[in-house]
Structure formats: structure tokens, C-alpha cells
Amino acid sequence: MKDTFLDIACIFDSSFARDYAESILVDNPYVKIDITGLLDKSLIENSEVLKDNELLMNDLIRQMGRQIARDEDEQPGNRCRLCDAKDACYVLENKTGTAAIEVISFNMSEITQNVRVCHSAFSNMCNLRILKVYCDNIGGYGFKVSIPNGLDSYLSNKLRYFRWDLYPSKSLPSKFNPENLVELALRGSHLENLWNYKVQSLPMLRRIDLSYSKFLTQLPDLSRSPNLERLNLEGCTSLVEVLSPIQNLDKLAYLNLNGCTKLKNLKDTSRSTGYLDFILHGGIKNLLKNICQPSLTFQAHIPQKFQVNLTCLILSGTAIEEADPSIGYLPGLVQLDMSYCTRLKSLPTSICNLKSLEMLSLAFCSKLEKLPPLPSTLLHLGLYCCESLKSLSELPSLCFSLSANYCKTLEKISTWRAPLLHNMKIINFNFFCGHIDFYGCEKLDQNTRNSILVDRAVLKILFRMKFGMTGPNSHDFRYPGDEIPKWFNYQTCGTSIKIMLCPNWNNANFLGLAFCIVLDQNKTDPNISLCIDCKLNFRTMDDDHLHEYHDSRALLERKVSSDHLLM
């Protein structure tokens, strides 16, 4: 338990996931038991704010653990754990490390001069299992850690966690045997290739992060990495091929290709039966057609034998011109992000078959002219700046988060029915916190403004009150208009209103207060931002006691000059 405590104190600076920690610490049956024991002794604690799986160590306890590690021996090279940047850099520069060292972890922001790592710095560290050289910002620091002559062929084969941000060499040591490696993270590295084009046996490897390695031109064959779950290649701007090395990785769950602008294509992307989260930004046309098909024969749908279980598909900023109808055969898809697809003109009608879809983002799809019927499960719809969109057909009844700002040609919403009460009990109420916003939709017809949107505003407020989902910014609802709805009992011009509530008003039927404000932006300075400041003063009749409530709403957009309604 002491070893596990010291590992956690030296490796993690903040919160950490329990299963993540268990995966990179020594592979023995006692790690899980040790963590439970540390929780019982309050040396670590469960996070009350973060996810259930997240654990925390108090800063003072962490400092105590690191001091215990420093006090182990006067000579840094004879200690089991090096977590002080000065001590670690001394060992790496002067080759004073011994077989005693198992953990090296330090933040490069703490070094005070350039560090020149000896080419054989690790040659005696045969028990090294954690190597973590990290920085808060891979944009770089004033002082650098360099390896002028490169590393020699030796790195401990016991290494389980290898992270070196801004790794300065072109490749890993040629004879490095990564058979026990669980995670490899070389963000912002100078890598051109990982190793010399041979297939490595990586039975333990679960995560690779080579993001922003600008000189990386290709990946090695990862076919012998059967447990690989995450591969992050974001910002690898020289990478030209990614598909061949990752074929047949059945457990791959996350693939990030954001900013890989030189990728030629993504045909036959995945044969995986696991969840696959694509994050792609860059010029890849008709990507959906490629990722939805198991072979290079362009069929119109996905064969039933091909089990596609994508849950999150993010294609933001790609050059997609059309979405293939086969997208409707992704039954597990929960999130679809096609924002900034400026060439996209329409979506296939098969999208209504996505029975798990909850989030659909089409923001800045400037050529999108219409939407097909949407899945009834949809909770959030993002249409910000879809400047060619003219109408919306029937919107899903459960959609309580909708951003349609600056859809300048939008004229009408056909229908937007109220949800059934029993359906409300099963949705994620976080979507209630989203705004419903039609700011800048100046062409909306009167029926949409004064009937459909007004009714939806009432529903949003009532349902949140009904299920106790109250809080700041919980009911914001904006759309163009010049009338306060008739169901607001008290109305006035000016900046204040006085209401005399009836006796016994605060009973089970009282849900809350709703306010509606009409702004004539022709009468405001177009060069300044607006903020709606609301102050409520309640004075009781019995003891004349004053209660105050204060809130505000910012209106940052200054593009629209016509009448505008804020709720």
C-alpha cells in the first residue's frame, strides 16, 4: 500500500481516474486492494464534483508523499522515485541513475535552464516502469530538454507508462522492447516514425497519443496491438496514411484525426465491432460513404453482418458535400457533429432511423437548405448560422435545446408538438439547460413567432419547474418579435413593473415567475453590447420585510437591428 501511495503522489498532480491509475501502475493483484485501502485511510478520496470514477489526493498529502520519496536517499540516482525536476534532470544529464529508479515524473515548466540528456542516461535503469516528462502547454517553454546525441538502444522493458511531451528525437531507441507498455504519449514530438518499420508485439498497449507531432509521416503496423483502445493523432500535419496500420483493431474506441490535412482518404476505415469515435477536421470528401461501408464496393447501405456501433461521429470542418444514406444504419449513434461543413447541402432521409441520436450539430453549414424528418430521440439541435435554411419540418417533441441564431432565410417551423409526460422522465435533463435561440431569424412568419415559439417557451419553463430543474440561465429563450404574449398577466412600458400578488399565492400551484422583455434595437447603440439586468424586490405584507433577487443576461450579438424578444 505504501508503494501505491507513493506512486500516486509522485505521478498525478490533480484528479485521476481509478481504472486509469490501476492500468499504469505495477501489474499485480494488490493495486486495486491498495487503492481501496488508501480510500479507507482518507489518503485519497472520491471526487464529489467530478465523475464517480475520479479520485483526488489532497495537496498537503501529495507533498508529504513526495517528501518521503526525496528522503529515501541523499543521492537522487539511488531513489526509487524522482518527482523533483532539478533532481531528475541532474540524473539524466550526468547518467547517475541506478537500478533503484522505478519512477521519473517531472514538469518541464519547473526547469530553470536547458537540459542536455546523456545518450545513455537510462542504461542502468533496468527497473524503470514510469517515465513522465510533461508540460502544461506543448506550445513550448523557454528552457528545453534535448538529447543532442540521441538515446542509445536501451530503455527498460518494464516500462508501462511512457510520456514525454516535446520528445526531441526522430524515433524511439531501436532496441526498445515495449511489450509491457500500457500507454505511449509523445505530444508535440519531433518523431518521424516510432520505430524502424517493423511490427512490434504490444499486447498491453491501450493508449497512444502522438498529437501535434508535426514531422510524423506514417504509423508503424499496429496489428499486434490487440488491446489498443485510443489513438490520438490530432495535428499530425505530415501524416499521409493511417488506415493500413490500424486495421483489425477490434477494441479501438477513439480515433482523433483532427487537423491531419495530408490524409489522402479514409476508405474502409473500420472493421471494428467496438465503439468508434471519429474526430475529423480537414479536406476529406464523402467521408460518411467511406466509413459506413465495410469494403471498397460502394453499396447503398451497410450489410447486416457488419456490426457498426459508432456512438459519436464528429466530422466538423470537413469538405463533405453529401452524407450517404448508409448513415441511417448506425443504430448506436448518439452524437453527430457536422458543423462547419460549408459544402453540405442536405441530409439523407435515412437519418430518421437513428433511434439513439440525441445531439445533432449543423452550425455554419451555410449551404444547407432543408432538413429531413429528424429522429424522435433528438434532444439538442444546433443550426447556428445556417444561412440557406428556409424551413423546418416537424421538430422532435423532446428537443428542448435548439440554437438557430442567424438563420437569416428561415421562414417557418411547421410543427413542434409537446412531449408526452412519461417520455420526459427518461431524458437527460442537462439538455434543458440549453438555450432555445432564434436571434437574427428576421424572416420568421407570424404563426411561428406568436404561436409555435411562444407555446414552446411556456413548455420549456413548465417542464423545468415540474421536474425541479431550476437554476441560472435555465430558461433563456430568444426570438424576433414585437409583442409580449397575452398569457403574461402584467405588462408595462419602461424598465420596471409593480405587481400585487393575491393572498396565499405561495401554494402548491405556484411554479415560479416568468419575464418577457421586448427590445427595440433600432434605439440602441449598435457599437455596444447589451446586458439585461433583472432585480426583484419582494416585500411581505405581514412584517414589511424586503427580499431581493438579482440576475442578468448578456446579449453579445450586435448584428440585428430589428425588434427582438428576449425571454
Side-chain angles (χ1 to χ4, degrees):
M1 189 182 299
K2 178 182 177 181
D3 287 336
T4 301
F5 166 73
L6 292 177
D7 281 348
I8 291 174
C10 292
I11 297 170
F12 300 108
D13 288 327
S14 56
S15 64
F16 58 94
R18 177 169 181 161
D19 56 356
Y20 179 77
E22 291 172 352
S23 71
I24 66 173
L25 298 180
V26 177
D27 187 20
N28 66 64
Y30 301 110
V31 171
K32 294 182 179 181
I33 299 173
D34 290 346
I35 290 180
T36 300
L38 294 173
L39 284 166
D40 293 339
K41 295 178 181 296
S42 298
L43 291 172
I44 57 176
E45 57 186 337
N46 287 300
S47 172
E48 296 180 357
V49 179
L50 303 174
K51 299 178 181 178
D52 294 338
N53 192 38
E54 292 289 313
L55 301 177
L56 296 168
M57 177 176 282
N58 181 275
D59 289 341
L60 293 177
I61 295 177
R62 182 183 299 106
Q63 292 173 18
M64 178 187 71
R66 293 184 176 185
Q67 188 60 49
I68 293 173
R70 282 190 288 267
D71 292 342
E72 184 177 333
D73 195 285
E74 184 176 345
Q75 295 299 320
N78 294 328
R79 298 172 193 163
C80 182
R81 298 167 184 84
L82 295 177
C83 54
D84 179 85
K86 182 178 179 181
D87 291 341
C89 291
Y90 176 83
V91 169
L92 295 177
E93 283 188 305
N94 296 284
K95 191 192 170 184
T96 58
T98 67
I101 296 178
E102 296 183 19
V103 175
I104 296 177
S105 177
F106 68 92
N107 192 331
M108 285 190 286
S109 65
E110 297 175 0
I111 64 176
T112 56
Q113 60 184 17
N114 289 332
V115 177
R116 297 166 61 90
V117 177
C118 175
H119 76 283
S120 57
F122 298 97
S123 59
N124 295 324
M125 302 183 198
C126 57
N127 292 310
L128 186 67
R129 52 189 173 82
I130 304 290
L131 177 57
K132 183 180 180 182
V133 183
Y134 64 103
C135 58
D136 300 323
N137 178 8
I138 60 172
Y141 290 95
F143 300 108
K144 298 180 179 180
V145 178
S146 62
I147 313 175
N149 300 315
L151 290 177
D152 66 13
S153 60
Y154 183 79
L155 268 180
S156 170
N157 61 6
K158 294 183 180 180
L159 205 60
R160 293 178 59 82
Y161 179 78
F162 184 6
R163 175 178 174 180
W164 193 323
D165 290 343
L166 307 175
Y167 179 73
S169 295
K170 295 181 180 180
S171 65
L172 295 178
S174 58
K175 294 184 180 180
F176 170 47
N177 182 0
E179 62 181 358
N180 290 304
L181 201 62
V182 174
E183 178 164 347
L184 177 65
L186 303 172
R187 303 186 309 154
S189 73
H190 287 241
L191 285 172
E192 294 179 2
N193 54 75
L194 277 177
W195 37 74
N196 295 325
Y197 310 107
K198 61 182 179 181
V199 181
Q200 291 275 14
S201 177
L202 303 164
M204 306 291 290
L205 191 63
R206 293 169 62 177
R207 296 173 291 270
I208 296 179
D209 185 351
L210 302 177
S211 55
Y212 299 100
S213 296
K214 298 180 180 180
F215 306 103
L216 185 69
T217 57
Q218 61 183 356
L219 289 177
D221 189 336
L222 297 172
S223 60
R224 296 179 67 185
S225 308
N227 293 303
L228 189 65
E229 298 170 355
R230 296 176 65 88
L231 179 58
N232 188 354
L233 300 170
E234 179 176 3
C236 293
T237 53
S238 299
L239 194 64
V240 296
E241 184 181 4
V242 72
L243 299 185
S244 296
I246 65 172
Q247 288 187 26
N248 303 315
L249 296 179
D250 292 338
K251 293 186 178 181
L252 188 64
Y254 177 90
L255 174 62
N256 189 339
L257 300 176
N258 181 359
C260 297
T261 54
K262 288 190 178 181
L263 284 179
K264 295 178 180 178
N265 61 61
L266 281 174
K267 292 182 178 180
D268 199 21
T269 297
S270 174
R271 300 179 188 274
S272 169
T273 58
Y275 295 110
L276 190 56
D277 174 2
F278 280 94
I279 301 181
L280 307 161
H281 298 256
I284 304 170
K285 294 184 179 181
N286 300 324
L287 179 62
L288 285 173
K289 179 177 290 186
N290 295 332
I291 68 170
C292 290
Q293 293 171 351
S295 66
L296 299 184
T297 58
F298 292 99
Q299 304 174 22
H301 60 84
I302 298 175
Q304 294 300 313
K305 64 181 181 180
F306 185 53
Q307 300 299 320
V308 179
N309 293 316
L310 291 167
T311 59
C312 179
L313 181 57
I314 302 181
L315 305 170
S316 176
T318 61
I320 291 173
E321 297 177 357
E322 62 178 359
D324 192 86
S326 59
I327 191 176
Y329 293 86
L330 299 173
L333 195 64
V334 175
Q335 180 180 353
L336 175 59
D337 186 348
M338 300 180 71
S339 56
Y340 294 92
C341 293
T342 55
R343 300 182 183 183
L344 185 69
K345 295 181 179 180
S346 63
L347 293 177
T349 56
S350 62
I351 197 172
C352 66
N353 297 327
L354 298 176
K355 301 304 181 183
S356 299
L357 192 67
E358 295 181 354
M359 299 181 65
L360 174 60
S361 180
L362 299 165
F364 292 97
C365 291
S366 54
K367 292 187 178 181
L368 188 66
E369 297 180 356
K370 62 180 180 178
L371 291 180
L374 299 173
S376 60
T377 54
L378 195 68
L379 305 178
H380 171 80
L381 178 60
L383 299 171
Y384 189 92
C385 282
C386 290
E387 297 180 346
S388 300
L389 191 64
K390 295 182 178 181
S391 65
L392 293 173
S393 57
E394 181 175 350
L395 289 173
S397 62
L398 293 178
C399 185
F400 276 88
S401 177
L402 194 157
S403 298
N405 317 43
Y406 303 115
C407 292
K408 297 180 179 180
T409 60
L410 185 62
E411 297 176 356
K412 68 176 182 177
I413 299 174
S414 299
T415 55
W416 199 352
R417 293 189 175 91
L420 298 175
L421 190 60
H422 71 272
N423 288 335
M424 298 298 298
K425 297 178 181 179
I426 61 174
I427 73 169
N428 183 348
F429 286 103
N430 288 331
F431 289 97
F432 270 144
C433 296
H435 305 307
I436 294 182
D437 203 340
F438 287 85
Y439 189 97
C441 301
E442 297 297 308
K443 292 189 176 181
L444 283 176
D445 62 21
Q446 290 301 311
N447 180 56
T448 300
R449 296 187 188 200
N450 299 328
S451 179
I452 293 177
L453 293 184
V454 169
D455 292 346
R456 196 66 185 183
V458 178
L459 281 172
K460 182 176 172 68
I461 294 171
L462 292 179
F463 275 120
R464 284 192 57 89
M465 292 292 187
K466 171 68 176 177
F467 291 99
M469 302 297 295
T470 58
N473 299 316
S474 58
H475 309 314
D476 282 4
F477 198 117
R478 301 193 300 177
Y479 62 95
D482 53 13
E483 294 182 5
I484 291 179
K486 295 181 175 60
W487 52 270
F488 282 94
N489 296 5
Y490 300 90
Q491 301 188 19
T492 187
C493 294
T495 60
S496 65
I497 187 171
K498 185 175 181 180
I499 300 172
M500 184 66 71
L501 298 174
C502 61
N504 303 317
W505 60 271
N506 191 12
N507 54 42
N509 294 321
F510 179 76
L511 295 178
L513 296 173
F515 296 89
C516 178
I517 303 170
V518 176
L519 299 177
D520 186 350
Q521 294 198 37
N522 288 321
K523 297 181 179 180
T524 60
D525 187 341
N527 298 313
I528 63 173
S529 297
L530 294 178
C531 180
I532 306 302
D533 200 55
C534 178
K535 184 177 181 181
L536 305 180
N537 293 323
F538 295 93
R539 188 178 297 276
T540 61
M541 297 179 65
D542 296 335
D543 56 8
D544 202 36
H545 185 71
L546 183 65
H547 302 270
E548 292 187 358
Y549 170 81
H550 184 264
D551 194 11
S552 63
R553 297 287 189 273
L555 289 175
L556 300 179
E557 298 96 339
R558 303 300 302 136
K559 298 181 181 179
V560 179
S561 60
S562 61
D563 295 342
H564 189 80
L565 182 64
L566 172 77
M567 296 187 64

